[in-house]
Amino acid sequence: MFGTVVVGVGIAGLARIRDLMNPMPSSPSEHLKLLGFVSRRSFGNINEAKQISLEDALRSKEIQAAFISTENRSHEETIRMFLEAGKHVLVEYPMALSAKAAHELWEMAEQKDKVLHVEHIELLTEEYKQLKKEVAGKDLVKGTLHFTGHVLDENKTGFPAFSGIARLTWLIDLFGDLTVTSATREKQKDKNYSRMTVHFQTANK
C-alpha cells in the first residue's frame, strides 16, 4: 500500500478523500491508503479520515504521496515542500501561476526522482473521450467555447485566465498548439461581473 495525504478540503479535496476511502474495485486507488488530510480549518475527522498537521505530513515516513487540492496561488509552495520532503505529488490544475515556476518544479521532481502529476480529471471522462472521437480527423474552421462560473477571488486563484485553463487544455488536446491572437477583459464592479474573451489560432491558421 502507498501512503497518501490530501492537502486542502474544498470540493476537490473532499472528492479525493471520498474516492481514496472507497476505491473502485480493481482500480489503482486500491493500492493507495489515505493516512490523513491537511487543512487550515479545524475539522477533526472527515468520514474516518483524520486531520493531521502539515509538518506531520511532511515528516511522516509512512506518507509517500500528497494530493494537493488547495487554492491556485498556494500550489507552487506546497508542491515544493512535499518534493523537498521526498514525496510524490499530484496537484489539481494549474500547477503554478507561471510557466517558469512550473518548469522549475518539474526539474525539481526529476532531480528528486519523484512523480509530479497535474490532474485534469475532465480529460478522463467518457463525455470528453466521445468529443475527441467526434473531432478526430476533422479540420477546425471556426468555433466558440463559452462557459460561465462564479466570481473568483483573484488573490487566491490568480489572473482570471486561470479559471479557464481547464478549457484551454481541452482545446490544445483536441486541436494541437494554439497561438493567442487577441484577448480582452470586461469588468463591471457594481454588478460583480467579469468576462474574458480570447481568440486563438491553430497551427494551420
Side-chain angles (χ1 to χ4, degrees):
M1 296 293 283
F2 217 60
T4 63
V5 64
V6 172
V7 184
V9 288
I11 295 171
L14 289 172
R16 293 282 177 201
I17 291 171
R18 178 199 66 208
D19 293 346
L20 286 166
M21 296 193 74
N22 301 286
M24 291 179 66
S26 302
S27 72
S29 296
E30 284 193 315
H31 302 287
L32 302 175
K33 182 179 182 182
L34 181 64
L35 296 176
F37 67 90
V38 173
S39 176
R40 290 188 300 264
R41 294 172 289 170
S42 180
F43 287 96
N45 288 3
I46 297 177
N47 298 334
E48 297 179 20
K50 63 178 181 178
Q51 185 165 3
I52 61 176
S53 70
L54 177 61
E55 293 74 20
D56 286 346
L58 292 167
R59 277 197 304 261
S60 172
K61 288 187 168 53
E62 293 182 324
I63 293 173
Q64 286 100 28
F67 289 73
I68 298 174
S69 305
T70 56
E71 65 273 5
N72 296 345
R73 192 168 290 280
S74 67
H75 285 183
E76 179 185 345
E77 180 186 1
T78 311
I79 291 168
R80 284 186 195 280
M81 286 191 289
F82 278 95
L83 287 178
E84 283 171 359
K87 319 287 187 191
H88 301 289
V89 175
L90 179 146
V91 62
E92 306 288 345
Y93 63 83
M95 181 163 62
L97 298 187
S98 76
K100 180 176 180 287
H103 286 293
E104 287 174 1
L105 291 170
W106 260 312
E107 285 172 14
M108 184 178 178
E110 278 189 23
Q111 290 164 4
K112 299 277 187 183
D113 196 27
K114 297 298 170 189
V115 173
L116 172 54
H117 172 71
V118 185
E119 182 78 320
H120 186 357
I121 200 72
E122 291 175 356
L123 298 184
L124 305 176
T125 62
E126 290 307 314
E127 293 89 343
Y128 182 79
K129 289 176 185 174
Q130 184 58 39
L131 175 62
K132 195 164 183 178
K133 281 182 189 172
E134 288 174 16
V135 303
K138 296 179 182 175
D139 289 327
L140 176 67
V141 178
K142 189 175 183 181
T144 301
L145 180 62
H146 178 233
F147 61 97
T148 59
H150 60 279
V151 177
L152 299 173
D153 180 348
E154 290 185 32
N155 289 326
K156 293 181 179 178
T157 59
F159 187 67
F162 278 94
S163 63
I165 205 164
R167 276 67 188 191
L168 178 55
T169 11
W170 280 22
L171 294 176
I172 292 171
D173 189 56
L174 292 170
F175 305 112
D177 286 345
L178 303 170
T179 303
V180 178
T181 58
S182 68
T184 57
R185 184 182 180 192
E186 173 193 345
K187 287 181 79 173
Q188 296 178 22
K189 281 191 176 179
D190 56 326
K191 296 181 180 177
N192 208 20
Y193 172 84
S194 175
R195 178 173 69 184
M196 189 167 203
T197 305
V198 185
H199 293 96
F200 299 104
Q201 200 168 62
T202 59
N204 62 3
K205 310 251 184 254

